Structures are given as structure tokens and as C-alpha cells.
Amino acid sequence: MLHQFKASDQTELTYYDSGHGRLVVFQHGFAMDHRQVLEVWPELENIRLVCLDTRGHGLSHLGHPNTLSFQRAVSDVRELIAHLGEIPFMVGGISLGAALAMELTRDLDIQRLVIARPAFSVDGDTSHFDVFRVLRDIFRTKPRDQWATCLEQHPAFQALQLTAPRNQETYRRLLEHPRLEELMIWMDALETEALTLTPEELSQFDCKTDVIAQNKDALHPAGLAEALAQSIPDARLHFVESGLSSDEAYRESMRGILTGILAP
């Protein structure tokens, strides 16, 4: 189920490939890997699911740090599709993975697009990443044994307690991530370049598009998802269980929504 291939810059990347039938390429979010997709993926027949571990994530190598960029990651997915020898009928993703999927619409004749809990908008607003920036500063300026305390004491982090507690857990787990240094390099790259689609391009999407939003998720604002759905012709907007729900309630909700989207 796990396979390797080399990108055009010779970086070794790992991807998950399982099932038979219509090809779906679905990408995970920042700091995650293909397992994030598997946790919410429904059991469906006649679907072949492929998910690339984005470079610097999961089992994929980072490559040279100086060449890391959002567009390099888009190229990786494009090259994987060429490696597979088949154009997917659907592309999609969660958070960063959703942005990668959106960029692919420029090059591929995609029938279906799924944008789940998007974190990147065409207007370039990244204010919802401010706690990520706090965490990056702590990582680079404080001793390791002070990371958790500094994060817990920061007002921006504390403000999430009532509004988006799941986001707090995300940031806490990130401090223990085995590839944290590489993720900080990724954060620098995303500050330089991320989603490059324009509002005009969104208005010209001709693929069937589903957008999945979540309330009480400060890192993936529901308003951002709603704005994307309004900008894409005939896009359908779905709401997954809120960020105040349990992990399992969220996963079950995602499975239900994806089942409905993928139904023949």
C-alpha cells in the first residue's frame, strides 16, 4: 500500500495507494501525513485512493531546504499523477492539501474537487496562522525545556481555550513532532508563497466542487470556506461536526460527508 517514487529533483517521496476503480488523489494537511486522510476516509467500493506524503512530512524526504516551496509541492503531486499514468476523476485535500488540490486545477482536467477545512485563501489573509508564528518564534529563540511553558503562557494561545480548544491540542502536539525542524522550514516557505489562484480563476472553475467547513476551528475559519464556496460556480458547502466535538464525532462526520460526495 505504501510506495516510493522520485520527484524530478530526485527527492524520494512516499505515497499511499489502495483500492480499485475511479482514481481519487486526496492530500493531507500541514504537519500530518496520509494517515490523516485514512482516519476520515469512508469504506467505499470502486474507488482507488492515492495520498502523497507531502515532502518533509510522513515518510517523504524534504529535499534541499533552499528549494522548498508551495509550488514545488504542487509539482510533486502533478509528477505523482504522471507516475501513476492516470488522471484522477477527483482531487481534494484537507487544509494545506486542499490548497495543493486547488492549484492542480490549472493543469489537469479535473471532474471533481473537494476542499476540506481550507486554511489558505485567494486574498492572502494568513492572520489565522499567528499562533503558528508564535510557536515558530518559541522554537527558534527558547530552550527546548521552555517551549511548552512559553506556548501555554502566550495570550494568543490562551484565547483559543474557549473558542477552539482542538486547535490548542494541535499546537501542543506540534511541539512533540519528530520532524519539527523541517516543519519550521515549511512554515518559512509558506510565508513566502502559498495559494496563487485569483478570484477570477475561481469564478471560472468548471469542475464539480464541494467545500467542507468546520465551525469553532480558528486555524481553518469557517468564513474562509464559505467565501470559497461562494466564489466557485455551483459549489456545494457542507459543515462537518464543530471543533468542540470529539475526535471520533469529527471523523464520523467527515466520513458521512465524503460518502455523500463520492456516491455515484
Side-chain angles (χ1 to χ4, degrees), residues 13-213:
L13 306 176
T14 296
Y15 65 96
Y16 174 89
D17 186 348
S18 181
H20 303 278
R22 297 177 298 169
L23 176 61
V24 175
V25 174
F26 207 91
Q27 288 303 114
H28 62 82
F30 178 76
M32 309 301 285
D33 57 35
H34 66 275
R35 292 173 295 179
Q36 182 192 35
V37 175
L38 297 186
E39 286 180 348
V40 300
W41 198 255
E43 293 186 12
L44 296 170
E45 296 181 354
N46 302 317
I47 292 291
R48 177 187 179 190
L49 173 65
V50 170
C51 177
L52 174 68
D53 278 356
T54 300
R55 61 175 55 215
H57 294 68
L59 299 175
S60 289
H61 295 184
L62 179 69
H64 198 290
N66 291 342
T67 63
L68 179 65
S69 71
F70 177 78
Q71 289 301 325
R72 176 63 257 184
V74 175
S75 294
D76 291 339
V77 183
R78 189 186 304 117
E79 291 170 12
L80 172 60
I81 291 170
H83 172 77
L84 297 172
E86 180 182 352
I87 300 297
F89 96 98
M90 176 187 286
V91 296
I94 304 168
S95 188
L96 173 61
L100 296 175
M102 291 171 67
E103 288 280 329
L104 287 172
T105 60
R106 279 188 169 143
D107 307 303
L108 300 176
D109 184 17
I110 301 298
Q111 299 177 44
R112 302 288 301 271
L113 174 67
V114 178
I115 304 169
R117 297 171 61 218
F120 298 88
S121 64
V122 294
D123 65 9
D125 180 15
T126 59
S127 58
H128 48 289
F129 295 159
D130 283 349
V131 180
F132 264 130
R133 296 182 177 107
V134 168
L135 189 150
R136 181 182 56 188
D137 291 343
I138 290 171
F139 170 77
R140 289 180 171 162
T141 63
K142 303 296 182 182
R144 185 182 185 93
D145 61 0
Q146 295 181 19
W147 288 355
T149 299
C150 290
L151 180 64
E152 296 285 345
Q153 292 178 346
H154 197 282
F157 179 83
Q158 293 176 349
L160 297 173
Q161 177 61 42
L162 296 178
T163 60
R166 284 174 63 95
N167 292 147
Q168 284 191 316
E169 289 305 312
T170 296
Y171 294 124
R172 289 185 180 112
R173 287 196 299 267
L174 195 58
L175 286 178
E176 304 300 324
H177 199 288
R179 303 186 72 173
L180 182 58
E181 184 171 356
E182 291 170 300
L183 293 178
M184 296 302 101
I185 296 171
W186 249 112
M187 286 185 64
D188 289 340
L190 291 172
E191 293 277 30
T192 302
E193 174 196 59
L195 191 65
T196 64
L197 290 170
T198 65
E200 291 74 23
E201 287 175 302
L202 289 184
S203 70
Q204 296 171 14
F205 272 18
D206 58 4
C207 55
K208 191 172 183 180
T209 303
D210 290 271
V211 181
I212 303 174

